[in-house]
Amino acid sequence: MKVLCVIPARYASTRLPGKPLKDICGKPMVVRVYERAARASRVTDTIVATDDERIYTAVRQAGGKAMMTKKDHPTGTDRLAEVAAAHPEAELIINVQGDEPLIEPKLIDDLAAAFDDDPELQMATVKTEITDPEEQKNPNNVKVVTDRNGYALYFSRSLMPFPRHEGTPVYKHIGIYAYKRDFLLQYAEMAETPLEHAESLEQLRALENGYRIRVIETPYRFVGVDTAEDLEKVRAIYSEEGNQ
């Protein structure tokens, strides 16, 4: 299966303007994301999708691949679909966020592997257990509950499940997705759904339209960069690991 890894990267950011180009131990963040994603063994090709010439140039100067996309895409899914439409050879599209400079290549491979034995699967994503009560309550940490076979029942910014009884694990949704290319193109054309609007979570559109989303569990921990404090944490980790 030909797997295309796409990294959407917009220059605009409310909390951290110019986020993709922030320096992490000598390289722009988007380049760090690109280099780690490109190490995944099951990925055929990796490309940064951006609406900004500065990001495009930074990736190209680092030896990476980038594609200029429209500036007026309302969602990240629409930007992803534009890239998918331009790459008909790709069978599976994996979306890695441009603010995840600690993404693990093996996780990308694990996500691609979810499609190996399930030809009907159209979409997959990732979860990790969170135990800190404050993290569980934080609406910026999207929670997910799944059925016994690992398919999503619901995603929410609220705490799920309600802790009526102690001991039930809480899982945080990690925003890395894999889509069959044909499904992605259809998905981007679907109208916004009521639950998607209420929670401001695009993945609910798929569930509300009757599609199943496979959710694999990972032990990896992530430090997505949303703030200047997050950026400093990531810089410290890269320094400790010798800029790898």
Side-chain angles (χ1 to χ4, degrees), residues 91-180:
E91 299 168 82
L92 190 69
I93 308 293
I94 295 185
N95 178 11
V96 173
Q97 299 302 317
D99 57 5
E100 290 284 357
L102 295 174
I103 187 69
E104 288 287 345
K106 186 179 183 304
L107 178 57
I108 298 173
D109 289 333
D110 290 345
L111 196 56
F115 293 78
D116 288 348
D117 301 319
D118 190 350
E120 301 302 316
L121 184 63
Q122 302 296 320
M123 180 175 176
T125 189
V126 180
K127 69 178 182 180
T128 188
E129 186 175 354
I130 49 175
T131 57
D132 182 87
E134 293 306 312
E135 278 197 64
Q136 293 176 354
K137 295 174 185 176
N138 187 344
N140 292 319
N141 292 331
V142 176
K143 273 68 70 177
V144 60
V145 290
T146 60
D147 66 17
R148 291 184 175 183
N149 294 314
Y151 293 92
L153 294 172
Y154 194 64
F155 298 85
S156 181
R157 297 184 183 279
S158 299
L159 174 59
M160 297 192 307
F162 182 80
R164 185 68 178 266
H165 301 286
E166 293 184 3
T168 303
V170 175
Y171 289 97
K172 175 183 177 180
H173 172 232
I174 304 299
I176 172 174
Y177 296 93
Y179 309 86
K180 288 285 185 64

Side-chain angles (χ1 to χ4, degrees), residues 204-244:
L204 291 173
R205 187 189 314 172
L207 293 184
E208 287 184 84
N209 279 286
Y211 292 96
R212 296 196 305 168
I213 303 175
R214 179 73 184 276
V215 185
I216 67 170
E217 185 175 356
T218 180
Y220 296 122
R221 294 293 183 266
F222 299 84
V223 182
V225 178
D226 290 317
T227 66
E229 291 77 15
D230 295 334
L231 183 61
E232 289 307 316
K233 290 179 184 177
V234 170
R235 285 170 173 165
I237 292 170
Y238 265 89
S239 293
E240 291 171 4
E241 295 179 352
N243 294 343
Q244 297 299 313

